[in-house]
Amino acid sequence: MSSEEDWEELLKDHPVFSLPKSVSGPSGRGQESLNLSLSSLPDFVDFDPVDDKPTPSGRRQAIAIKDADLIVAVGSEIRIASLGDAKGARGSSQKSYKILHTPNIQFEIHQISLNPNGKLLAVAGAFQVAVIVLPRTGYNKLVTATVDCKSIQIGQYYHAADTSAPISKIDWHPWGQGGSTLLVMTVDGKLREYDMSVDADEPQQTLSFVPEKKKSSFDAEDAAEREVASFSFGKGKADWGPLTVYAVMRSGDVYAICPYMPKNASVPSTYVHALECYVSAKQEYLSSSSRGDLAGADGLTTLYDYQRKYVNALLKQLPPGTAWPATARLVPMHPPATVKNTPARQGPFLLQPSPRSLPGSEGGDATDIVYLSFGDDAAEESDGETERLGLVLVTFQDGKVDLYLDVEKVEARWEAKQQKSSGLPMLATYESIDLGIICTLKGATTSQQGKSLLDLVQGNHPVFLKDPIHEDTIYIYHAFGVHVLQLEPLLKGLAVALRNANDDSASSSSSLEATLTKVAQMDVQPILLTFSVEQQSSSPVIGVAVPNDVYLTYSIFILTSAMRMSVFPLNLRSESPYLVEQDTPLTELTQPTSRSVGVSAPPLPDPEPSMPNKSQLAIPEGPPAYVSLLEEPFKVPSAIARISGLPGNPRLSLPNNPNVTKGEFMITPDTLRYLGSVVEHFSAQIHDVQLAQRSAEARASLQEEEFKRQREKFGEILETARGLNTKGQAQIQRVARIQEAQRALFARLDRILQGLMAKASPELSENETKWFEELRRMKEEVVGAGKYDDRSLVARAKLLRREVDRLLPHLKEMKEKEEARKRSLAESREALGLSQAFELGKRSTEERTRISLMEAEILRLANILDMTLGRPPAMQAPDGEAKDK
């Protein structure tokens, strides 16, 4: 699949997207009941444990992609279709799908989640949870329309009773052993861990983000402060991030619990060693900096001692041979039991400065949270100038997205009665993004019933989805469409700011804050819009999936509540580090590309010129030899640049309401206003494209002119080179004549020197005569006085060589015989059987006993006869001293 039209044509009329019978059947409620409108708003807000309606209330994720298979949740059914078969059935009506037969699932499915190894599928309704074992490859070749699959009900005592709390989110832990650790978060703040390989009814661990209410005390907290909206796992490489769980309340408060590890986990061995180094560095820093303030360091000392015990317990679980540094491998581990106290709930986080609210909005509940971690691994290993940057994103019902910087890393803490935490953790508020939902609803008039369309925000539930390939891309889908958040310009700016702060030894926190205000904002782009101004309703998005398979095109699949699929092809980008080169000015990274209601970036002053590199050649002073017309590289205008591959204008996927669309088209003031805004937007885009075209044409003409100038310059250089070549021949001939004259001068110099030496010393001196005599004597000793001198060293060396060559074959033969004798002796010993060896040992023992008796008898007779005898042979020394005596 290389084009968008192919995917759209394949999935347009695919039967896997047919509506359930509860909606499209004779007794169904109709397709309009799935749309978000003022009449259907109560179905999107209220939770009924008895009658779980098919309306997309709360968090929805109805599609998933496993390899080349598309999994869709429709009502209480799980459908699966092969995209490869759909590609082969292009243009025909043979498109089909299979239904996973799961009798245990009798509830409307709102969320589905695929485990890391792709073998288990967790499904959740408003109150119940189940896990399905997915069929193996080849299920599509079965004749039957259903495929029998094993399904397990999860925690029936906690999630299937009438008094059960609604489910906020389900997710698989990435470090669960075998990918079987499922986490279920309920609205009451209980995060339960279920291990499919151990027990599906009872949780292995339970974390509480909401403390129990005391019956005898008055609590003035709002209900939204005690209801959890979502949770997310922390990230990191050499800190407590991977062992941290973040949760966001409906009020927007963020809490964290650390440390948390699954009961049966598979942890990278390198992370355990890195965590040990991190804790050791903390302890060393505390011991060196707290010498003057011992009272304030007691609490941190106790905390770091607990952390040291926890890390030591992890180190003891590592197998032998995993010393640092070593190749990373997954090691089975269990949570340490050395620290008896339970992990403490940390929070709520202080948001500094306080996030701003959207203009015209009364606020909304928080719906989802996601934690992101970025960093250049190569740069960290080489110089380690910056730590991995942590970001926290929180979205709200009114379309506001808050971006926080995790400047104070969360550390492991445990409950302690004596010592209370002196302060709350902090998140630095960077910016707040407006998705434009309030503006869209405000642009439409009130409904026929006189109600404001802003009430539809109560049925909105934005959800984050991380791109599986590019970590700096986040998708957020909601009841009014889908937006994409590009964090690349933001991350590059933050990396430059942190690097500059680290390079400046005299920098302070105020200078860092001043630098952060100059960093660019994230890029926000709408992909799909589902709100109809005419119908005053919207078709909520219930699922988004991005395949991560080499056999599928890198695309994004979007499914609405009307079971309408929209596909957008995406472009793969090269993995560029966020730490840019030193010569890159910060002004290139500070172009605002999103609508932000947070901190506004003031214009930057001109950057100071960088110091020249001493290793480079010094540029000569004076005017340059050639000045190019192309001073800066060409940058593609933003109007025509599509780095991600997404269209510049969002696509419309409006709800299909037959009661409204079956009549004639009615022009209303809302319609005219919408058309006017669209025309104005398109006119602005056309104008930008025209400006981009003029810029490109001007650049092209400038490049042509520069090409002509370079050709003329190269012609001049070529003529100069030819002139130098003509002059060079004469120079070569002149050099040859000089070399001949030089050789003649050297020969004359040798003759003159010999003549001078002969005049100065015509005869040899006494020392020279002795030296020459010694040389002749040494020559006779080595070579010999004559041709047949046997006493010379040369003749003796030849004789020794002939003798060695004569004896060497005999020595080799003797060596081979000795080796053969040893092998035969060893084989004879090995060939001796166990019974034979036992019999020989027995007889040897008997003979030794008889010899001992005879020796004793001879000694007794010698004493009787008064004779002196030597010691027996067994008692004699090895050197034969007894025999001499």
Side-chain angles (χ1 to χ4, degrees):
M1 298 299 165
S2 59
S3 63
E4 175 185 356
E5 289 76 17
D6 292 336
W7 280 114
E8 290 291 337
E9 186 176 353
L10 283 176
L11 302 177
K12 182 177 180 181
D13 298 326
H14 203 288
V16 74
F17 300 115
S18 58
L19 293 172
K21 295 181 180 180
S22 59
V23 176
S24 61
S27 59
R29 304 179 58 186
Q31 185 176 350
E32 61 275 6
S33 63
L34 299 178
N35 301 332
L36 176 60
S37 61
L38 293 176
S39 60
S40 62
L41 182 60
D43 296 337
F44 285 81
V45 178
D46 300 334
F47 288 94
D48 189 357
V50 179
D51 184 13
D52 190 7
K53 301 174 184 178
T55 53
S57 57
R59 184 185 185 92
R60 290 301 299 265
Q61 177 62 22
I63 62 173
I65 296 179
K66 173 199 171 185
D67 298 334
D69 297 332
L70 179 64
I71 304 174
V72 183
V74 181
S76 59
E77 291 182 353
I78 295 294
R79 303 174 182 177
I80 183 171
S82 175
L83 295 178
D85 293 347
K87 178 181 177 181
R90 183 189 315 188
S92 63
S93 59
Q94 298 180 356
K95 302 175 183 178
S96 61
Y97 65 92
K98 301 294 183 182
I99 299 176
L100 302 185
H101 182 60
T102 54
N104 294 342
I105 301 177
Q106 300 296 333
F107 53 87
E108 294 287 335
I109 299 175
H110 292 185
Q111 306 177 48
I112 63 175
S113 179
L114 197 64
N115 76 326
N117 57 23
K119 297 180 180 180
L120 302 177
L121 181 70
V123 299
F127 298 90
Q128 302 183 45
V129 186
V131 172
I132 302 174
V133 180
L134 294 177
R136 298 181 179 179
T137 305
Y139 68 91
N140 52 348
K141 299 180 181 179
L142 298 177
V143 180
T144 58
T146 61
V147 179
D148 292 335
C149 295
K150 183 180 179 180
S151 59
I152 306 172
Q153 199 82 11
I154 303 300
Q156 298 187 27
Y157 178 78
Y158 304 98
H159 308 297
D162 296 338
T163 58
S164 300
I167 295 174
S168 298
K169 181 182 177 181
I170 60 172
D171 199 0
W172 299 90
H173 199 284
W175 282 0
Q177 189 173 2
S180 61
T181 302
L182 177 65
L183 297 179
V184 180
M185 173 68 81
T186 52
V187 175
D188 58 354
K190 294 294 189 298
L191 181 63
R192 295 178 175 89
E193 172 197 331
Y194 296 94
D195 194 337
M196 300 300 101
S197 60
V198 179
D199 190 359
D201 292 329
E202 290 296 329
Q204 300 296 316
Q205 299 182 76
T206 301
L207 303 181
S208 179
F209 285 90
V210 177
E212 299 292 339
K213 284 186 177 182
K214 297 182 180 179
K215 298 181 180 180
S216 60
S217 62
F218 174 74
D219 192 358
E221 291 181 342
D222 187 13
E225 298 179 0
R226 299 185 60 84
E227 294 184 4
V228 177
S230 180
F231 73 95
S232 178
F233 302 116
K235 290 186 177 181
K237 286 217 166 182
D239 51 25
W240 295 95
L243 302 179
T244 306
V245 180
Y246 294 87
V248 61
M249 304 295 172
R250 285 178 47 209
S251 60
D253 295 336
V254 180
Y255 292 88
I257 291 181
C258 177
Y260 164 71
M261 178 186 294
K263 200 70 173 179
N264 300 309
S266 296
V267 182
S269 58
T270 54
Y271 169 73
V272 180
H273 292 291
L275 185 61
E276 179 194 11
C277 298
Y278 177 77
V279 174
S280 300
K282 287 279 187 179
Q283 288 182 328
E284 292 179 1
Y285 178 77
L286 179 64
S287 60
S288 61
S289 61
S290 62
R291 294 177 180 176
D293 186 13
L294 298 177
D298 291 341
L300 291 178
T301 302
T302 305
L303 176 63
Y304 290 161
D305 290 342
Y306 282 170
Q307 293 181 2
R308 169 58 62 183
K309 292 180 181 179
Y310 191 91
V311 174
N312 290 338
L314 294 179
L315 291 173
K316 292 180 180 179
Q317 300 184 46
L318 292 176
T322 56
W324 176 267
T327 305
R329 59 173 177 172
L330 296 178
V331 179
M333 286 189 176
H334 304 284
T338 54
V339 182
K340 303 300 181 182
N341 299 341
T342 59
R345 184 190 70 155
Q346 304 180 37
F349 282 76
L350 295 178
L351 307 180
Q352 298 293 335
S354 179
R356 300 182 183 179
S357 59
L358 299 181
S361 173
E362 298 179 357
D365 296 338
T367 57
D368 200 5
I369 185 175
V370 65
Y371 189 94
L372 305 175
S373 179
F374 301 94
D376 187 10
D377 296 338
E380 288 178 3
E381 294 177 1
S382 59
D383 50 14
E385 59 184 9
T386 57
E387 297 180 355
R388 295 184 69 86
L389 179 63
L391 302 179
V392 178
L393 279 78
V394 178
T395 180
F396 297 83
Q397 287 181 325
D398 56 356
K400 185 181 73 167
V401 180
D402 288 339
L403 173 63
Y404 310 121
L405 304 181
D406 187 12
V407 293
E408 296 181 359
K409 298 290 185 179
V410 174
E411 296 188 5
R413 293 181 181 273
W414 289 266
E415 295 286 352
K417 297 181 180 180
Q418 298 178 356
Q419 298 178 357
K420 298 294 182 181
S421 178
S422 58
L424 296 176
M426 190 267 288
L427 292 175
T429 304
Y430 180 73
E431 65 175 332
S432 296
I433 305 299
D434 183 12
L435 300 181
I437 296 177
I438 298 297
C439 297
T440 302
L441 296 179
K442 270 192 169 185
T445 59
T446 57
S447 63
Q448 298 178 359
Q449 294 83 5
K451 298 181 180 180
S452 175
L453 292 179
L454 293 177
D455 295 340
L456 296 180
V457 173
Q458 301 177 11
N460 187 26
H461 196 98
V463 178
F464 289 115
L465 178 69
K466 292 185 288 187
D467 193 292
I469 298 178
H470 300 295
E471 295 181 350
D472 55 4
T473 302
I474 301 295
Y475 304 99
I476 176 172
Y477 61 95
H478 44 83
F480 303 97
V482 181
H483 288 71
V484 59
L485 308 181
Q486 297 286 353
L487 303 176
E488 184 178 7
L490 168 66
L491 296 172
K492 286 186 177 180
L494 289 176
V496 172
L498 294 177
R499 185 197 63 202
N500 295 338
N502 291 337
D503 292 341
D504 188 5
S505 59
S507 62
S508 60
S509 59
S510 59
S511 62
L512 179 60
E513 292 178 0
T515 307
L516 290 177
T517 57
K518 307 174 184 179
V519 181
Q521 303 167 357
M522 76 171 70
D523 184 10
V524 182
Q525 180 182 357
I527 302 177
L528 186 72
L529 299 179
T530 61
F531 179 72
S532 174
V533 178
E534 179 187 6
Q535 303 180 26
Q536 295 184 349
S537 63
S538 177
S539 180
V541 177
I542 62 173
V544 176
V546 179
N548 188 14
D549 189 83
V550 295
Y551 298 103
L552 296 179
T553 307
Y554 179 44
S555 308
I556 178 173
F557 293 76
I558 303 173
L559 182 65
T560 63
S561 60
M563 305 306 292
R564 185 180 302 166
M565 176 64 73
S566 300
V567 183
F568 296 89
L570 304 174
N571 292 338
L572 289 172
R573 294 180 279 113
S574 60
E575 295 294 338
S576 59
Y578 299 115
L579 295 178
V580 295
E581 298 296 332
Q582 298 285 344
D583 298 336
T584 304
L586 191 61
T587 53
E588 297 181 4
L589 305 172
T590 56
Q591 301 297 330
T593 54
S594 64
R595 294 176 295 176
S596 173
V597 297
V599 181
S600 59
L604 287 178
D606 296 334
E608 298 181 358
S610 59
M611 298 297 295
N613 192 355
K614 296 181 180 180
S615 62
Q616 298 177 354
L617 295 177
I619 301 176
E621 298 181 357
Y626 180 80
V627 179
S628 175
L629 297 178
L630 307 176
E631 297 180 357
E632 296 181 357
F634 178 70
K635 295 182 180 179
V636 181
S638 58
I640 58 178
R642 294 176 56 186
I643 301 177
S644 61
L646 296 171
N649 298 310
R651 187 186 300 176
L652 298 179
S653 181
L654 303 179
N656 185 15
N657 192 349
N659 298 331
V660 178
T661 58
K662 66 182 179 181
E664 297 181 357
F665 179 72
M666 299 294 295
I667 298 179
T668 61
D670 291 338
T671 307
L672 293 177
R673 279 192 293 269
Y674 175 75
L675 292 177
S677 62
V678 171
V679 170
E680 182 182 359
H681 180 67
F682 274 100
S683 300
Q685 285 189 339
I686 292 173
H687 181 66
D688 294 341
V689 171
Q690 291 175 351
L691 293 179
Q693 180 187 2
R694 295 174 186 175
S695 175
E697 291 176 353
R699 180 72 180 192
S701 61
L702 190 62
Q703 288 184 349
E704 291 177 358
E705 184 67 23
E706 177 64 20
F707 179 66
K708 293 179 182 179
R709 294 178 68 246
Q710 290 183 1
R711 287 178 57 186
E712 295 176 357
K713 196 66 176 179
F714 288 150
E716 297 176 2
I717 295 174
L718 184 60
E719 291 296 331
T720 305
R722 289 175 180 173
L724 293 175
N725 190 16
T726 304
K727 297 179 180 180
Q729 296 295 333
Q731 296 291 338
I732 291 174
Q733 296 176 1
R734 182 181 177 185
V735 170
R737 291 193 300 269
I738 293 174
Q739 289 178 351
E740 291 293 335
Q742 185 73 8
R743 283 193 290 268
L745 290 176
F746 275 122
R748 183 181 176 185
L749 181 63
D750 289 339
R751 290 194 301 270
I752 294 173
L753 182 62
Q754 290 293 336
L756 292 175
M757 292 176 62
K759 291 181 181 180
S761 179
E763 297 180 357
L764 296 176
S765 62
E766 183 179 358
N767 293 331
E768 291 176 345
T769 303
K770 291 181 179 180
W771 173 247
F772 284 116
E773 290 293 337
E774 182 68 18
L775 289 178
R776 282 193 293 269
R777 186 190 64 79
M778 292 174 63
K779 181 179 179 182
E780 292 178 359
E781 184 178 354
V782 174
V783 180
K787 184 176 182 181
Y788 301 100
D789 188 0
D790 296 338
R791 294 177 298 175
S792 64
L793 295 178
V794 175
R796 294 168 64 183
K798 291 181 180 179
L799 180 62
L800 180 61
R801 170 59 60 185
R802 288 195 299 269
E803 193 69 18
V804 169
D805 294 340
R806 184 180 64 82
L807 296 176
L808 189 60
H810 298 284
L811 294 176
K812 290 183 178 179
E813 184 179 357
M814 293 176 63
K815 181 179 179 181
E816 293 176 355
K817 290 182 179 180
E818 181 66 19
E819 291 178 353
R821 186 185 65 82
K822 290 181 178 180
R823 286 196 301 269
S824 61
L825 182 60
E827 292 175 357
S828 63
R829 291 178 179 177
E830 293 178 356
L832 191 63
L834 182 61
S835 59
Q836 296 176 351
F838 180 76
E839 187 66 26
L840 290 176
K842 183 179 179 180
R843 292 184 179 181
S844 177
T845 304
E846 294 177 355
E847 293 295 333
R848 182 176 296 277
T849 305
R850 292 177 59 188
I851 291 173
S852 301
L853 294 176
M854 292 179 63
E855 290 177 354
E857 185 66 22
I858 291 173
L859 292 174
R860 188 181 64 80
L861 293 176
N863 292 330
I864 296 174
L865 298 176
D866 195 12
M867 295 177 61
T868 303
L869 297 178
R871 288 183 299 175
M875 301 177 61
Q876 291 181 3
D879 54 354
E881 293 180 358
K883 184 182 293 185
D884 295 340
K885 292 180 180 179

